[in-house]
Amino acid sequence: MASAVLLFFVLMVMSVRDGKSEKSLFNLKCESAVGVISQNTNIPCSIESQKKPVSINTVVLKRLGQKKPCFVYQPHENTITGDTRFKVLGGSSLQLQNTAISDEGEYEYHIRTSLGEDLIKFTISVTAKYNNPVITSVPEKIEKNGRAELHCTASGGYPAGTIHWFDQSNTNWTKSASLDITRGDDGLHTLSSTLRFQSFDTLWAPFKCIVLNNKYQEEGRSSFILERKDVSETTVGNNTMTNTIAGVVVIGSLVAGLLVALLCRQRRVQHPLPSEPQYDEEKEGLEGSVYKETADGRQDFSV
Ligand SMILES: *[C@@H]1O[C@H](CO)[C@@H](O)[C@H](O)[C@H]1NC(C)=O
């Protein structure tokens, strides 16, 4: 009786071992992938086994929590179903083309090979780099010791990042700023940070705004070029200058015109008997109004 129990036990252990040994014939391993939006994302995978070569019969990819596979590949029949942006690269590695934010998540990778099958999970995360930040101020021209607001905006990034502020002496002003994060229809984020001053000291400028991604790595920076109110006054001065110049030009051209008119008159005085062809020449050169002038001129002669 005892031997029968022992035999049963040994058989059980063997069968468990059998199953295990079949499984350990090969091992599928995948690294989690970080993709960049609208680019290709590689998911490096490998089959580890003592026996070689291993031939793949079926690849099935499912998003975690979904019943239907998002991608199925059967190399022997050379058939692909599902999302055609997925590709099996050499061996068991995968590639996802034209990565989108919606591709983010956990996946289940089921592989069937000549050595049996295995299942593994991996995650895809997606990133997009923020555009260079743009700084604006309210008011546009800042008065010394006046109220001011600095705005720094960076768009087109993913996932949500943050904005830090530093002044000319690298003093960290971030704690005084308020950050607003909005998500567009495309899933991309816009970061807007506002720094408010009751009394702005122009010596603090230029302010720097630094955009950091969700891993606190810098993605871009901008410096705020201060426009001062008193600077704008010199611009007004410049305007006066241009006005003066314009006045000089107008008066100058008037004087020149008068001189030309005088010269013409003098010519006529030198030729008191203008002949027909001369009239035609003048008519061609000056057009229309000449007749009247010549008429006036004649009147002058008669005086
Ligand atoms: C600036 O201040 C922010 C908010 O307090 C902080 O998270 C950040 O690490 C500081 N940066 C530096 C360079 O000290």
Side-chain angles (χ1 to χ4, degrees):
M1 186 63 191
S3 61
V5 169
L6 191 70
L7 182 67
F8 176 74
F9 193 69
V10 165
L11 278 174
M12 235 183 75
V13 167
M14 270 179 74
S15 72
V16 167
R17 244 217 208 137
D18 247 352
K20 217 180 176 184
S21 69
E22 200 207 320
K23 179 107 209 237
S24 64
L25 274 180
F26 87 105
N27 223 331
L28 176 66
K29 285 202 167 150
C30 289
E31 286 169 36
S32 284
V34 180
V36 175
I37 208 156
S38 69
Q39 289 182 16
N40 296 346
T41 305
N42 287 338
I43 303 127
C45 297
S46 59
I47 290 171
E48 289 173 2
S49 88
Q50 247 82 36
K51 287 192 191 171
K52 292 205 170 161
V54 184
S55 80
I56 298 172
N57 297 329
T58 318
V59 161
V60 178
L61 210 57
K62 260 189 216 173
R63 293 196 72 144
L64 215 69
Q66 284 185 8
K67 270 191 184 167
K68 235 182 122 192
C70 59
F71 174 73
V72 179
Y73 173 54
Q74 289 168 299
H76 296 309
E77 286 90 48
N78 198 23
T79 56
I80 291 172
T81 50
D83 193 340
T84 51
R85 291 178 306 142
F86 280 105
K87 225 176 161 181
V88 178
L89 300 176
S92 52
S93 289
L94 302 170
Q95 186 180 64
L96 171 61
Q97 295 171 335
N98 194 15
T99 309
I101 290 177
S102 53
D103 296 323
E104 246 188 355
E106 259 194 288
Y107 290 79
E108 243 176 28
Y109 183 0
H110 184 216
I111 197 164
R112 212 172 289 144
T113 72
S114 52
L115 295 180
E117 51 193 270
D118 202 3
L119 181 81
I120 197 168
K121 281 181 198 159
F122 65 85
T123 59
I124 294 179
S125 27
V126 179
T127 61
K129 198 174 175 288
Y130 284 90
N131 297 325
N132 238 29
V134 175
I135 308 182
T136 53
S137 73
V138 177
E140 217 171 300
K141 284 165 186 158
I142 293 175
E143 224 168 333
K144 196 173 181 344
N145 299 323
R147 275 175 182 252
E149 264 181 36
L150 298 186
H151 299 274
C152 179
T153 305
S155 59
Y158 188 86
T162 192
I163 285 178
H164 288 173
W165 290 94
F166 300 89
D167 69 10
Q168 177 261 125
S169 64
N170 262 341
T171 302
N172 192 344
W173 284 75
T174 310
K175 272 194 180 141
S176 316
S178 62
L179 181 67
D180 187 40
I181 302 172
T182 51
R183 202 173 166 161
D185 292 337
D186 52 5
L188 298 174
H189 290 103
T190 298
L191 312 173
S192 312
S193 181
T194 304
L195 199 52
R196 288 188 179 84
F197 303 90
Q198 292 299 325
S199 163
F200 190 90
D201 187 339
T202 46
L203 289 177
W204 291 329
F207 265 86
K208 264 188 312 244
C209 144
I210 298 180
V211 176
L212 305 165
N213 64 19
N214 66 327
K215 293 195 172 74
Y216 290 98
Q217 294 158 333
E218 179 176 334
E219 289 209 338
R221 61 167 67 196
S222 269
S223 268
F224 173 64
I225 291 116
L226 181 73
E227 270 197 77
R228 285 173 62 164
K229 200 74 176 275
D230 42 281
V231 170
S232 74
E233 269 157 27
T234 34
T235 343
V236 169
N238 277 344
N239 278 344
T240 332
M241 263 298 263
T242 37
N243 281 346
T244 319
I245 290 168
V248 167
V249 167
V250 167
I251 291 167
S253 48
L254 274 175
V255 168
L258 270 171
L259 279 174
V260 168
L262 273 172
L263 271 173
C264 286
R265 186 162 295 180
Q266 209 146 13
R267 255 201 205 167
R268 273 170 218 142
V269 174
Q270 279 166 3
H271 309 277
L273 293 168
S275 58
E276 290 294 323
Q278 243 184 334
Y279 264 98
D280 284 352
E281 255 179 44
E282 276 190 31
K283 193 187 166 189
E284 265 181 359
L286 296 167
E287 283 183 4
S289 61
V290 168
Y291 261 132
K292 205 187 149 197
E293 264 185 37
T294 22
D296 289 349
R298 268 190 190 167
Q299 269 186 350
D300 275 348
F301 296 144
S302 61
V303 169

